[in-house]
Amino acid sequence: MKNLKKYLGLIFLALLVLIKIQDSNFVKRIENISYDIYQSIFEENSDFNDVLIVDIDEKSIGEVGQFPWRRDVFANLVDKLENLEASVISFDIFFSEEDKQNPSKILGELNISNEGVLDSDQSLITAIQNSNVILPVLGDISVFDKMNNSKPKTNFISRGGDAENYLYNFKNKITSLEVINNAAKGIGNISYLDNQDGVLRSLPILLKIDGDIWPSLSLETLRLLHKNKSILIQSSESGIKTIRTKNYSLNTDPNAIVHINYKKFGKDKYISAVDILNDKISKNIIKDKIILIGSSAQGLFDFVKIPSGKVIPGVETHAHAIENIINNDFIIKNLKTDIIEIIILLISLILVLIIPKKVNPKLSIVFFVGLCVFLITSSLVFYQFNYFIDIFYTTLGSAFLFLVTLYFRYLQENEIAIENEKKQIVLKKEREIAGEVQKKLFPKEFEQKNILYAKNVPARDVSGDYYDYIKISEDEFYFTLADVSGKGVKAGILMANAAAVFRSMAKLNKEVSTIARYINNQVADSSYQGMFITAVVGKYNIKEKKIEYINLGHEPIMVYDENFNFEYYKSTLPPLGIMAMDNDDFFQTNEISLVNKNLVIYTDGVTEGYLENNQELEAKGVEKEISDNKFKSPVAIIEHLSDILTKRKEPLRDDITCLIISGF
């Protein structure tokens, strides 16, 4: 067992590093949290004006008619954009079937002469042939062969290895009719890779679809803009390294994936398609611009969720990708950043495994807080250069190992102390010492007894009750009162653990819900045979006379005003230590105004304590003692209750603990 404890820290360290290297869904979810936070916090305004979106919006559908439109409408749209001298026109819309509204086709099916009648499909083909148009292709996971032999318009040059081995592969494709694709100058893929939470953080710059390599719509758009014929793919044994055109160089991950650096995209970059059709847009707005044609209409369901939490039209993602390529502004997350993350994780885990064993617990906490600050600062510095280095997993892993190290240090020191004491002190003496140690957990004095006062009278040598307060400023302090489900040394040790966490987190000025979660998880990890703690944890603002608190399975909180009207605030959450929680959302806080009021918190040793007449005091008895004596002073109330509950000569039934905060 001793050898197991000796190497348990190293086992946890190796396990945490292995989980990170495996890059499991759990790790990815953690990384996504910090990635999304960074994208939200550092979302910049875009000054990029080379891309406009021609939007098939509600207004356009309302005027032109139900979507899909007849192909000659799109032909007209392309012709007008060409006349306005758009540099490139890229569609985020498929023309995968013949136009069912084609007048020529309809007459032909009715065996009516269609000579001289508009052929809408041919109108679109002609318009595309006369313009710089790019059409989309989408990877399809189905096994059904679409019988479309459309091929990429791009020539790929591979160096250093076969790039196809590293690309995501789709067996089939969804694209426009082959005859329409043949008329286009380029074809780009608009595929997204599935993400568990449905958030679009990245996209493939290259994909293998139906046996061919296809560039993304954004890359194909820029290739056509600069009249490039080829794209160079440089690979190594570890995967794809860079993708180059004559004008741009992209550093991707080994599978040609890039992470989009989303920026604020103004509504002024959207132009209603009907305004183009009605000649309401001047040439100086469109001239030399890259035009993306897509839809923001709700009924077409072409929307994606991005890391900042916004939901945007799918066509806008291509605009962001084009801007990122031109400005070389993608978020970099590749093999190098993965290696950096693993090195940082390994160093952090080694430090938290060694340092807490060498210094006292207070300095250990200072060290750990400093380590977290350093990790966050380093990650933020990297992010300013567009490198995403996830430190969330490192921080969580380090925190876990830090607590484990402290816990086993505590166990080790406790075992040594017990072994030394066994030779000299009998069991009763051990309990007396433990009782004295526990008393030191309570505050030595109260600076403002007229505002806060508390007292504990143990039923045995070691109390299972606990109260404390931590003053963090002249106007605010944290407080707690708690009761362990048990008595004796074990209850005292468990409460000592909870007290250490409370004091540590309160001194760091954490949120009340955060303190509750940390205490809960510590109790869940270290409780004996299902022991738990009922508690009230809170924070009081002396100036505003406002309390923020959580009641975790404890007795109802008593509040009374200057007219001695009593109210009770019952527990809303289960006791501490029932089960560990991963986040603060479970621990919802409540607020009470204490203007001209007193707040009384007590353990069941008060309400179930016996009076001289052998009757229990009960909550109503507490009310009566306060109102009959017109008590408002915290000291007067607590000392009076303590006096009447300890007059009997028999041993106390339970620990007597009471804490009062006064707003009078």
Side-chain angles (χ1 to χ4, degrees):
M1 186 65 182
K2 290 183 178 180
N3 290 333
L4 176 62
K5 290 181 180 179
K6 182 178 180 181
Y7 295 108
L8 196 57
L10 290 173
I11 293 172
F12 279 131
L13 186 152
L15 184 62
L16 288 168
V17 173
L18 182 62
I19 292 173
K20 175 67 175 178
I21 293 174
Q22 291 294 321
D23 199 24
S24 63
N25 288 332
F26 169 73
V27 173
K28 288 179 180 177
R29 284 198 294 267
I30 291 176
E31 290 179 352
N32 288 341
I33 291 172
S34 55
Y35 184 90
D36 293 352
I37 290 173
Y38 281 16
Q39 284 269 281
S40 299
I41 293 175
F42 299 107
E43 186 180 28
E44 302 174 355
N45 290 313
S46 175
D47 56 359
F48 183 73
N49 298 310
D50 292 344
V51 175
L52 294 175
I53 294 175
V54 172
D55 187 12
I56 301 173
D57 53 8
E58 305 287 354
K59 173 184 173 182
S60 299
I61 293 175
E63 291 193 29
V64 177
Q66 182 179 358
F67 198 85
W69 294 337
R70 211 167 65 183
R71 297 283 162 80
D72 58 302
V73 176
F74 286 106
N76 190 23
L77 182 62
V78 171
D79 287 339
K80 288 183 180 294
L81 289 170
E82 180 66 19
N83 291 335
L84 292 172
E85 299 184 18
S87 59
V88 182
I89 303 168
S90 295
F91 276 89
D92 189 30
I93 298 170
F94 294 110
F95 305 103
S96 54
E97 298 177 347
E98 292 183 356
D99 189 357
K100 296 179 180 180
Q101 304 175 62
N102 187 343
S104 178
K105 180 182 178 183
I106 293 173
L107 291 177
E109 290 174 350
L110 297 174
N111 294 321
I112 299 174
S113 175
N114 56 11
E115 184 177 352
V117 177
L118 173 68
D119 185 337
S120 58
D121 280 325
Q122 186 57 48
S123 296
L124 178 60
I125 291 170
T126 301
I128 291 175
Q129 286 174 334
N130 295 331
S131 305
N132 274 346
V133 171
I134 296 173
L135 296 176
V137 62
L138 181 70
D140 183 15
I141 61 174
S142 70
V143 296
F144 178 70
D145 191 350
K146 304 297 188 300
M147 301 300 292
N148 188 315
N149 295 319
S150 296
K151 294 293 181 180
K153 306 285 184 174
T154 309
N155 177 44
F156 289 98
I157 302 172
S158 294
R159 291 181 181 172
D162 189 353
E164 292 187 8
N165 295 332
Y166 307 107
L167 299 178
Y168 286 95
N169 183 27
F170 292 88
K171 181 176 178 59
N172 285 308
K173 60 179 177 286
I174 299 173
T175 187
S176 300
L177 292 171
E178 190 173 341
V179 65
I180 298 178
N181 277 341
N182 289 341
K185 303 294 191 303
I187 303 176
N189 86 73
I190 58 171
S191 301
Y192 306 138
L193 300 178
D194 289 339
N195 199 311
Q196 286 185 334
D197 56 6
V199 177
L200 183 63
R201 301 178 180 88
S202 61
L203 58 78
I205 289 296
L206 299 176
L207 275 181
K208 185 178 180 182
I209 303 174
D210 196 15
D212 296 306
I213 298 178
W214 299 81
S216 66
L217 188 74
S218 53
L219 184 60
E220 183 74 340
T221 298
L222 293 174
R223 181 192 69 80
L224 187 58
L225 175 70
H226 297 290
K227 298 179 174 58
N228 300 146
K229 293 183 179 180
S230 302
I231 294 176
L232 173 64
I233 308 172
Q234 292 183 320
S235 307
S236 66
E237 293 181 355
S238 59
I240 293 172
K241 298 177 67 177
T242 58
I243 300 169
R244 299 177 185 272
T245 67
K246 288 184 178 180
N247 301 85
Y248 308 107
S249 178
L250 286 73
N251 294 315
T252 70
D253 80 350
N255 305 113
I257 304 297
V258 293
H259 287 73
I260 304 174
N261 187 2
Y262 289 98
K263 299 184 180 180
K264 295 178 181 178
F265 198 84
K267 293 298 182 183
D268 59 318
K269 296 176 183 178
Y270 279 82
I271 298 175
S272 181
V274 74
D275 288 341
I276 299 289
L277 294 171
N278 292 336
D279 298 320
K280 293 182 179 180
I281 305 299
S282 62
K283 179 182 288 189
N284 65 317
I285 294 176
I286 301 296
K287 185 177 180 180
D288 297 329
K289 294 292 194 297
I290 296 170
I291 301 299
L292 301 175
I293 300 178
S295 176
S296 67
Q298 295 290 333
L300 300 185
F301 305 108
D302 184 18
F303 293 90
V304 295
K305 186 177 181 181
I306 62 176
S308 63
K310 298 176 183 176
V311 177
I312 64 173
V315 66
E316 187 179 312
T317 62
H318 307 302
H320 289 286
I322 290 171
E323 177 181 359
N324 284 184
I325 293 173
I326 291 176
N327 295 332
N328 192 23
D329 203 25
F330 286 109
I331 301 299
I332 300 171
K333 181 165 176 56
N334 51 26
L335 185 60
K336 291 181 180 178
T337 60
D338 290 341
I339 293 173
I340 292 173
E341 288 176 3
I342 293 172
I343 292 173
I344 292 175
L345 173 65
L346 189 59
I347 294 174
S348 298
L349 294 179
I350 291 173
L351 289 175
V352 299
L353 189 62
I354 296 175
I355 300 298
K357 295 180 180 179
K358 303 297 183 181
V359 300
N360 64 54
K362 288 184 178 180
L363 288 179
S364 296
I365 293 172
V366 172
F367 152 75
F368 182 71
V369 172
L371 176 64
C372 291
V373 171
F374 173 77
L375 291 173
I376 294 171
T377 303
S378 300
S379 179
L380 292 175
V381 170
F382 274 110
Y383 194 80
Q384 300 312 305
F385 295 95
N386 284 7
Y387 285 88
F388 175 70
I389 305 296
D390 173 55
I391 49 85
F392 196 19
Y393 178 83
T394 298
T395 303
L396 291 177
S398 299
F400 170 76
L401 193 59
F402 177 71
L403 292 175
V404 168
T405 303
L406 285 182
Y407 179 67
F408 280 106
R409 174 182 173 174
Y410 163 78
L411 290 180
Q412 182 182 14
E413 293 177 352
N414 191 53
E415 287 176 358
I416 294 172
I418 291 175
E419 288 297 325
N420 291 336
E421 293 296 328
K422 277 183 178 179
K423 299 177 182 180
Q424 304 176 27
I425 304 173
V426 297
L427 179 61
K428 186 176 183 299
K429 187 64 176 177
E430 289 180 354
R431 293 180 60 192
E432 291 175 353
I433 292 174
E436 291 299 319
V437 170
Q438 192 196 31
K439 288 178 182 178
K440 294 180 181 179
L441 294 174
F442 297 104
K444 294 182 179 179
E445 59 182 3
F446 295 87
E447 298 177 6
Q448 296 172 291
K449 293 182 179 180
N450 61 318
I451 295 176
L452 170 68
Y453 186 69
K455 185 175 182 179
N456 168 261
V457 180
R460 303 182 185 178
D461 296 323
V462 182
S463 172
D465 292 354
Y466 171 74
Y467 67 84
D468 201 355
Y469 80 100
I470 300 293
K471 191 171 183 181
I472 57 172
S473 70
E474 291 301 318
D475 295 324
E476 288 185 308
F477 60 81
Y478 288 91
F479 66 91
T480 187
L481 185 144
D483 184 4
V484 179
S485 61
K487 299 292 178 285
V489 175
K490 289 183 178 180
I493 293 174
L494 184 60
M495 188 58 76
N497 279 334
V501 176
F502 170 77
R503 288 185 172 184
S504 300
M505 302 304 292
K507 288 177 181 178
L508 294 174
N509 200 9
K510 296 291 186 180
E511 296 292 333
V512 174
S513 56
T514 301
I515 295 175
R517 178 169 67 86
Y518 273 85
I519 297 175
N520 175 77
N521 292 351
Q522 176 65 22
V523 173
D525 288 342
S526 57
S527 62
Y528 300 92
Q529 297 179 345
M531 293 175 68
F532 58 84
I533 298 176
T534 66
V536 176
V537 181
K539 185 178 183 181
Y540 182 55
N541 188 297
I542 299 173
K543 183 179 293 184
E544 297 178 1
K545 296 187 177 181
K546 182 175 70 174
I547 282 183
E548 181 186 11
Y549 76 95
I550 302 178
N551 187 337
L552 300 120
H554 199 70
E555 298 287 319
I557 297 173
M558 176 188 289
V559 176
Y560 71 91
D561 59 21
E562 56 191 351
N563 296 319
F564 297 96
N565 297 312
F566 291 84
E567 297 178 270
Y568 291 87
Y569 295 84
K570 295 183 178 180
S571 167
T572 56
L573 293 172
L576 296 165
I578 299 299
M579 63 182 295
M581 294 294 174
D582 294 330
N583 57 63
D584 298 344
D585 295 341
F586 179 79
F587 300 94
Q588 296 294 319
T589 61
N590 300 288
E591 291 188 356
I592 300 175
S593 173
L594 278 192
V595 177
N596 295 324
K597 293 181 181 180
N598 270 355
L599 178 141
V600 183
I601 309 172
Y602 45 75
T603 60
D604 54 7
V606 174
T607 54
E608 296 176 5
Y610 289 119
L611 301 170
E612 277 190 297
N613 60 5
N614 291 325
Q615 298 294 317
E616 290 184 358
L617 177 59
E618 299 182 339
K620 289 295 182 182
V622 176
E623 288 186 20
K624 187 175 186 303
E625 293 296 330
I626 293 174
S627 57
D628 287 352
N629 293 282
K630 307 298 180 184
F631 283 138
K632 292 185 179 179
S633 164
V635 176
I637 296 170
I638 290 177
E639 293 300 335
H640 177 74
L641 293 176
S642 174
D643 183 56
I644 63 174
L645 289 171
T646 55
K647 281 186 177 181
R648 295 172 74 246
K649 294 182 180 180
E650 287 82 7
L652 291 176
R653 181 180 184 179
D654 200 352
D655 304 325
I656 298 172
T657 308
C658 186
L659 181 149
I660 297 177
I661 300 174
S662 179
F664 287 113

